[in-house]
Amino acid sequence: MTDSPVALITGASRGIGRAIAIELAAQGFDIAATARVPREGAQAHPLDEVGARVAQHGRRWLPIEADVSNLDGHAGVMEQVDGAFGRLDVFVSNAGVAPERRMDVLETTPESFDRVMGTNLRGAFFLAQHAARYMLHRRAAIAGFRPRLVFIGSVSAEASSPSRAEYCISKAGLSMAARVFADRLAGDGIPVFEIRPGIIRTDMTAPVQERYDAAIADGLVPQRRWGEPEDVARAIAALARGDFDYSTGLVVDVGGGLMMPRL
Ligand SMILES: NC(=O)c1ccc[n+]([C@@H]2O[C@H](COP(=O)([O-])OP(=O)(O)OC[C@H]3O[C@@H](n4cnc5c(N)ncnc54)[C@H](OP(=O)(O)O)[C@@H]3O)[C@@H](O)[C@H]2O)c1
């Protein structure tokens, strides 16, 4: 078993998950990171670059190929973490998808609904269940072990977008999942947090970049800039370090004031 704390981040090949993996490595965590199998024709595995950045911080690295929506693979993810490190200090549920096509709520298809829910809510919930069980199982064996769970939700848990109802519904459900885990695990000394990113510059928002550029310039985001993946990663670092351990159930907006009530 490693003496260093270990973080498992889902969906760490790019965007917010990638930034979290690099930031937590800088904070002294060994890193296990998941991504789906590489797309056909890809030159290198997308996790390789992240692994190199983690190694620059002198941390150990475990890439895991896993589709979060495939529940049959979840036990295998935890077995790999256990085999490599023998502990899990921070679980970050980050993997998520947007609808492939934005559709009015009156046109949302069952296929798109199931696809988004399958990763963002069903997959995230059941993998977190595995992670929590594993943390409880390892608690007695590791002195000073203070594990934590973090869910990457979204402002869309509260803000309605009629053109991507399935995404908003998945994030609203995930928010309650975070609260239920926080409630259940509080007495076991495992704090649980939810981060709600606002408009963050990643592949997910690339297709709507121009629209958001205009909206941000127009004042939609009070801090008047895009969020960067590193803005989210820094917030996670504070949670992962334990700075908010007496605040289980905390929801942290990382959105430049997007959700601030204004007149
Ligand atoms: N960008 C924003 O403005 C924004 C705002 C609020 C919340 N969020 C949330 O933040 C999280 C990260 O988003 P992002 O913007 O960084 O998105 P992104 O750039 O599209 O990256 C998504 C990541 O999730 C992985 N992923 C997707 N489906 C997966 C699955 N079924 N199993 C395993 N991994 C999967 C992808 O891995 P592959 O390489 O395998 O595709 C990729 O690493 C998501 O939960 C998203 O909903 C984003």
Side-chain angles (χ1 to χ4, degrees):
M1 185 185 64
T2 171
D3 286 337
S4 307
V6 173
L8 168 62
I9 302 116
T10 64
S13 56
R14 42 204 172 91
I16 292 171
R18 171 185 174 277
I20 295 169
I22 295 167
E23 176 63 33
L24 292 188
Q27 297 285 328
F29 287 81
D30 289 338
I31 303 294
T34 78
R36 291 173 292 189
V37 286
R39 281 169 214 83
E40 234 168 87
Q43 296 294 309
H45 195 286
L47 282 172
D48 289 350
E49 183 267 343
V50 189
R53 296 289 303 274
V54 168
Q56 281 172 3
H57 291 290
R59 306 318 315 174
R60 295 173 64 200
W61 163 249
L62 175 68
I64 302 174
E65 279 184 8
D67 184 333
V68 165
S69 68
N70 175 19
L71 271 48
D72 292 342
H74 287 182
V77 171
M78 297 314 304
E79 278 162 19
Q80 290 190 59
V81 172
D82 187 45
F85 301 120
R87 62 190 290 167
L88 177 60
D89 299 73
V90 174
F91 172 70
V92 183
S93 176
N94 168 75
V97 290
E100 280 175 335
R101 191 165 59 84
R102 291 190 177 212
M103 285 170 268
D104 184 83
V105 62
L106 300 181
E107 310 296 335
T108 305
T109 63
E111 293 74 21
S112 181
F113 189 93
D114 289 349
R115 173 180 165 273
V116 172
M117 287 291 188
T119 293
N120 295 8
L121 182 55
R122 188 170 183 267
F125 174 81
F126 283 104
L127 187 53
Q129 186 188 62
H130 272 276
R133 283 186 191 149
Y134 178 70
M135 288 168 170
L136 289 171
H137 163 68
R138 294 302 290 149
R139 222 170 20 150
I142 305 170
F145 187 47
R146 300 290 305 273
R148 303 167 183 104
L149 302 184
V150 184
F151 290 87
I152 306 297
S154 171
V155 290
S156 298
E158 256 190 70
S160 154
S161 299
S163 63
R164 46 185 190 130
E166 61 277 59
Y167 183 79
C168 299
I169 295 165
S170 72
K171 292 298 186 179
L174 190 68
S175 180
M176 181 51 78
R179 184 175 296 174
V180 172
F181 277 117
D183 186 8
R184 169 62 181 81
L185 297 172
D188 292 300
I190 303 180
V192 180
F193 307 103
E194 177 190 352
I195 296 256
R196 288 186 181 169
I199 302 171
I200 312 294
R201 197 191 307 275
T202 68
D203 290 351
M204 186 177 279
T205 45
V208 282
Q209 182 181 338
E210 279 179 20
R211 193 155 72 75
Y212 281 147
D213 277 346
I216 290 169
D218 213 28
L220 175 68
V221 175
Q223 288 187 270
R224 298 208 174 234
R225 69 165 174 87
W226 279 78
E228 302 296 337
E230 291 72 20
D231 289 310
V232 182
R234 279 191 292 273
I236 301 261
L239 301 175
R241 279 197 307 263
D243 296 357
F244 289 87
D245 270 1
Y246 195 55
S247 303
T248 194
L250 181 70
V251 178
V252 181
D253 277 339
V254 184
L258 180 61
M259 297 304 284
M260 182 164 58
R262 285 181 288 165
L263 194 58

